[in-house]
């Protein structure tokens, strides 16, 4: 299995989240995932949530990595130097935060975390479903809602 890996160092500043999104969009396009594909939007949202969690909850620098598998799947990892494990929360009603890991859980095909050096890495994976020429079954990525 062939894998291409790209990475970006992210500082402990909320402004870095926007920079990470812009960087991710350009790397996705370079890998053949077009900006208007649902997969690109899903990945950018996942990256935004994971980078935000690292920046806001740890106050530490982080490294964003994207790994592109030859089969079309994408793995996103955000590693930071904090040894605190992620703490999923459940947002209530009008809460303006606390939904990040819930979004990751709902959008990614798989996700988790692991110790990495003195810190940790939170990762998620999104499979790329084959698109059928007719737009029939298989035209929507797994984990997406069909209307």
């Amino acid at each position: 299995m062939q894998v291409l890996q790209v990475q970006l160092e992210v500082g402990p500043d909320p402004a870095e989240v926007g920079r990470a999104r812009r960087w991710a969009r350009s790397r996705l396009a370079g890998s053949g995932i077009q900006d208007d594909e649902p997969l690109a939007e899903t990945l950018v949202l996942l990256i935004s949530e994971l980078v935000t969690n690292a920046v806001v909850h740890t106050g530490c620098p982080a490294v964003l990595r994207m790994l592109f598998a030859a089969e079309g799947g994408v793995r996103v990892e955000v590693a930071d130097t904090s040894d605190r494990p992620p703490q999923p929360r459940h947002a209530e009603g009008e809460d303006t935060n606390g939904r990040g890991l819930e979004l990751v859980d709902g959008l990614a095909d798989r996700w988790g975390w692991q110790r990495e050096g003195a810190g940790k890495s939170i990762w998620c994976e999104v499979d790329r479903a084959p698109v059928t020429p007719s737009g029939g079954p298989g035209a929507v990525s797994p984990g997406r809602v069909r209307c």
Side-chain angles (χ1 to χ4, degrees):
M1 175 173 86
Q2 219 175 13
V3 175
L4 168 67
Q5 177 178 316
V6 293
Q7 71 179 34
L8 173 71
E9 292 185 21
V10 179
D13 176 352
E16 291 284 85
V17 177
R19 186 171 75 89
R21 281 194 299 265
R22 290 187 298 277
W23 176 86
R25 284 189 189 284
S26 70
R27 295 317 177 273
L28 290 169
S31 76
I33 300 172
Q34 300 306 310
D35 213 24
D36 60 349
E37 286 186 54
L39 178 61
E41 290 303 315
T42 298
L43 288 165
V44 170
L45 180 55
L46 290 166
I47 286 165
S48 184
E49 292 302 326
L50 293 180
V51 171
T52 297
N53 283 348
V55 168
V56 171
H57 296 297
T58 71
C60 300
V63 175
L64 165 61
R65 291 187 287 260
M66 290 194 304
L67 295 87
F68 299 92
E71 299 80 30
V74 181
R75 180 179 173 107
V76 173
E77 300 176 355
V78 177
D80 61 56
T81 56
S82 169
D83 64 353
R84 286 187 343 183
Q87 298 292 319
R89 298 183 298 166
H90 180 70
E92 298 290 334
E94 305 271 327
D95 291 350
T96 57
N97 56 31
R99 291 180 174 83
L101 291 177
E102 285 182 4
L103 279 170
V104 171
D105 186 52
L107 293 173
D109 292 300
R110 290 163 299 285
W111 77 278
W113 74 280
Q114 66 219 18
R115 299 268 179 217
E116 184 172 308
K120 68 181 169 307
S121 173
I122 301 176
W123 59 269
C124 65
E125 296 175 345
V126 177
D127 299 329
R128 189 174 195 182
V131 175
T132 60
S134 67
V140 178
S141 297
R144 307 306 161 261
V145 176
R146 295 177 191 247
C147 299

